[in-house]
Amino acid sequence: MVKVAVLGYGTVGSGIVEVIKTNQEAINQKTEDEMDVKYILDLRDFPGDPYENLIVHDVDVIMNDPDVKVVAEAMGGVEPAYTFTKRALLAGKSVCTSNKELVEKHGQELMTIARENQCNYLFEASVGGGIPIIRTLNTALTPEKIDAITGILNGTTNYILTKMETEGADFNEVLKKAQEMGYAERNPEADIEGYDACRKIAILSSLAFGKNVDAADIYTEGITKITTNDFAYAKKFGATIKLLGMSKMIDGKYFAMVSPFILFPKNPLFSVSDVFNAILVHGNNLGNTMYYGAGAGKLPTASAVVSDMIDCARHLGKTFPCRWDAEKLQLSSFEDSSKRFFVRIDCAEKVKAESVFAGAEFAEGVVEGEIGFVSPAMSEKEYQEKAAQFDKIISMIRVEE
């Protein structure tokens, strides 16, 4: 019998227990042993809960119990999750988590500690919720030299943008609805400003390129400036707007960014809507592969954590290989990356735009008093220099091919 413990009995923690108990027979078969939840750590009591007898308030009970071999960390945030995770790994207990903030800040260090103590630190659920992307990068795609990862990595922002597009509702209206439905937090800053997607692309980049990528080094822009007028132009061009996290290796240089992008139908991410996530991975031999599914939610996230727990239980005393070195990956300035740009300007500056952005594709009659255009490909720096020649840029959204 493999004894496990769950740290935190909130949304994800309770989901982990629920998945284990609901699918107990199938999990035992796949574990080739019986997985038993021995402890649930939380500061609160849960009178009437079917598992209230498993609740403990002192983490030492778990850390000092040699029978506990696998720990699920579902506390969120950096502390005390970091301290508890480190203690568990030093004690030889594998830890599985969905905590993207902790993984982004300390993932490489915690994996090193796990390796030194013949256990594992696994975090499949930290990036795509129920989408098995990390396991895929570490196993199925190991023959590939990954040169690009592009993803819709945040279900909240994808839901908001989808509703703005399909219902014509403005940003604040849809955000309020998302909060009422539980898709957005009371403080939605991490989602709508792109910070959540930034942490996730930092993790994926570290795994894909093998060196540590710091989220603080990634240019990040959220969706708060996107309007229904932007979607009107996108429709005119036969396009849509998505918040993307991306990292790419181009001519030996590495670029990473989180930003809204115009997508055309030929892009595989074009049709990913509502709260769903999708991750597009490009390998030098395989080309594009895409991974799609529920990127968040209690049970999809919990299922991914339990999947990691099963792997740990099946391989006690064995550490899974994962290349994520402590050496920092040097990212090139996003200003040097090349792309097309969708731009809105005042009608009076059309002639200038035709000259400055020679070869641009224009759209008129969408919004009174202005025009929109998609520029030819150029660097971010070159775009900024050209844009500075205009009295006012109403909005700019990058284009992903």
Side-chain angles (χ1 to χ4, degrees):
M1 180 178 291
V2 179
K3 298 288 186 180
V4 304
V6 179
L7 309 185
Y9 201 47
T11 300
V12 176
S14 61
I16 291 168
V17 176
E18 182 179 341
V19 168
I20 293 173
K21 296 298 184 180
T22 301
N23 292 349
Q24 187 78 69
E25 183 177 351
I27 288 171
N28 291 347
Q29 290 175 351
K30 292 165 185 174
T31 306
E32 299 176 349
D33 203 338
E34 184 177 350
M35 181 179 288
D36 180 58
V37 180
K38 188 172 184 179
Y39 303 112
I40 300 170
L41 177 73
D42 206 286
L43 294 174
R44 302 163 293 176
D45 290 310
F46 295 85
D49 187 275
Y51 309 112
E52 64 176 314
N53 62 308
L54 304 180
I55 300 290
V56 296
H57 304 302
D58 185 355
V59 71
D60 287 344
V61 174
I62 297 170
M63 299 301 167
N64 296 331
D65 188 338
D67 289 341
V68 174
K69 303 297 185 183
V70 181
V71 174
E73 183 271 298
M75 306 180 75
V78 176
E79 286 293 357
Y82 169 68
T83 298
F84 292 173
T85 297
K86 190 172 181 178
R87 283 188 62 187
L89 295 173
L90 288 169
K93 305 177 190 296
S94 291
V95 178
C96 307
T97 186
S98 62
N99 189 341
K100 53 190 164 287
E101 185 176 3
L102 179 59
V103 174
E104 188 274 321
K105 287 185 178 298
H106 298 290
Q108 195 281 328
E109 174 198 357
L110 294 171
M111 283 194 296
T112 299
I113 294 171
R115 186 165 56 249
E116 292 170 349
N117 290 275
Q118 291 77 54
C119 55
N120 285 285
Y121 182 59
L122 302 184
F123 41 89
E124 181 64 72
S126 67
V127 172
I131 303 172
I133 182 61
I134 291 174
R135 189 174 282 104
T136 301
L137 288 173
N138 285 336
T139 55
L141 296 181
T142 50
E144 290 296 305
K145 183 177 182 180
I146 305 300
D147 50 36
I149 297 181
T150 306
I152 295 171
L153 301 172
N154 183 275
T156 300
T157 51
N158 205 43
Y159 170 84
I160 291 171
L161 294 174
T162 297
K163 291 300 180 183
M164 289 178 69
E165 178 178 35
T166 59
E167 299 179 4
D170 67 27
F171 174 82
N172 289 324
E173 179 184 344
V174 181
L175 173 59
K176 183 179 179 182
K177 184 176 180 180
Q179 290 171 318
E180 291 171 352
M181 297 182 68
Y183 294 150
E185 301 289 342
R186 182 175 299 177
N187 179 0
E189 182 181 22
D191 293 324
I192 64 176
E193 296 293 352
Y195 305 144
D196 177 80
C198 180
R199 294 186 186 112
K200 293 174 179 177
I201 197 63
I203 294 168
L204 290 174
S205 302
S206 297
L207 293 171
F209 303 133
K211 296 181 181 179
N212 198 49
V213 176
D214 190 337
D217 295 334
I218 298 176
Y219 174 83
T220 301
E221 185 179 313
I223 65 168
T224 55
K225 296 178 182 179
I226 302 298
T227 67
T228 52
N229 285 341
D230 291 318
F231 275 107
Y233 277 102
K235 183 178 180 181
K236 181 82 170 181
F237 282 110
T240 188
I241 304 170
K242 303 291 184 185
L243 181 72
L244 301 182
M246 60 173 60
S247 60
K248 297 182 178 182
M249 181 181 67
I250 303 172
D251 298 329
K253 296 181 178 180
Y254 296 89
F255 300 89
M257 167 183 283
V258 174
S259 175
F261 279 85
I262 294 282
L263 297 184
F264 291 94
K266 64 181 181 180
N267 191 298
L269 298 170
F270 175 87
S271 60
V272 179
S273 61
D274 208 62
V275 295
F276 286 92
N277 287 186
I279 302 165
L280 189 66
V281 181
H282 188 273
N284 64 327
N285 293 306
L286 186 60
N288 280 328
T289 56
M290 190 169 86
Y291 308 87
Y292 169 89
K298 175 179 178 176
L299 294 181
T301 302
S303 178
V305 176
V306 174
S307 175
D308 280 345
M309 296 172 74
I310 291 171
D311 267 356
C312 290
R314 291 179 62 187
H315 301 91
L316 293 176
K318 179 181 179 181
T319 303
F320 298 121
C322 179
R323 183 171 172 246
W324 180 347
D325 297 339
E327 181 183 352
K328 189 171 182 177
L329 183 72
Q330 294 302 313
L331 296 177
S332 296
S333 172
F334 84 101
E335 291 187 347
D336 295 331
S337 61
S338 179
K339 59 185 68 67
R340 294 194 294 162
F341 298 84
F342 162 70
V343 186
R344 291 166 52 200
I345 58 172
D346 190 276
C347 278
E349 298 200 275
K350 181 184 178 183
V351 174
K352 182 190 291 186
E354 289 174 332
S355 173
V356 174
F357 290 95
E361 179 183 354
F362 285 82
E364 300 183 60
V366 178
V367 178
E368 185 177 355
E370 63 175 70
I371 58 171
F373 63 87
V374 175
S375 77
M378 63 188 68
S379 70
E380 292 265 354
K381 183 178 181 180
E382 184 180 357
Y383 164 75
Q384 292 166 8
E385 291 170 349
K386 292 179 181 293
Q389 301 178 43
F390 293 80
D391 292 336
K392 180 183 178 182
I393 298 295
I394 298 171
S395 74
M396 180 276 282
I397 304 173
R398 297 166 179 88
V399 177
E400 174 66 2
E401 303 299 339

